[in-house]
Amino acid sequence: HDRSRIRPDSFGILDTVVQVLNDFPEITLEIQGHTDSNGRDRYNMRLSRARASAVREYLVRHGIAAERLTSNGYGETQPIESNTTPEGRARNRRVEFVRTDAAAREAQQSL
């Protein structure tokens, strides 16, 4: 749980992200790291930053320009499930990709 190392079962997903970014060079991303609520807030913030940074480094090592990617940690501040169950905590330990390019911002504004 307290890891920022990328699990081998995530490589396929990340390789798909690399392919999409290669196919669509106009896309830029924010890589968001998240944790469950176990542990201290400061620790969780550092862990979430490390998770997001590890994913960013993976993408850069696989040929994506660093300037297309930002990474941020959000700790336990944005849960998607309850932290009261093991399943909920597992879902809250995640990395998400958010498009930050102009087309994505325009689409968001038109909603």
Side-chain angles (χ1 to χ4, degrees):
H1 306 306
D2 293 345
R3 287 185 241 136
S4 60
R5 188 179 60 232
I6 299 171
R7 295 186 325 238
D9 62 338
S10 297
F11 294 158
I13 294 167
L14 294 178
D15 292 343
T16 299
V17 173
V18 168
Q19 186 61 54
V20 169
L21 291 173
N22 281 326
D23 291 347
F24 299 93
E26 71 280 4
I27 291 177
T28 60
L29 294 176
E30 177 190 18
I31 302 159
Q32 300 180 346
H34 301 274
T35 67
D36 62 27
S37 63
N38 287 346
R40 296 180 183 252
D41 292 351
R42 181 177 288 174
Y43 174 81
N44 283 337
M45 196 59 73
R46 272 196 311 267
L47 178 59
S48 66
R49 286 184 190 127
R51 287 177 177 163
S53 180
V55 169
R56 182 177 185 270
E57 290 172 17
Y58 182 95
L59 298 178
V60 170
R61 279 194 319 271
H62 286 81
I64 303 304
E67 56 271 7
R68 294 176 62 193
L69 308 168
T70 59
S71 64
N72 289 300
Y74 293 90
E76 61 191 73
T77 64
Q78 297 179 6
I80 57 172
E81 295 282 339
S82 170
N83 279 297
T84 60
T85 66
E87 297 81 14
R89 288 189 297 276
R91 292 222 20 177
N92 288 331
R93 295 186 298 268
R94 68 196 191 280
V95 171
E96 295 182 342
F97 298 95
V98 177
R99 283 183 60 180
T100 57
D101 51 275
R105 287 191 308 272
E106 289 170 13
Q108 185 64 29
Q109 290 174 351
S110 68
L111 293 178

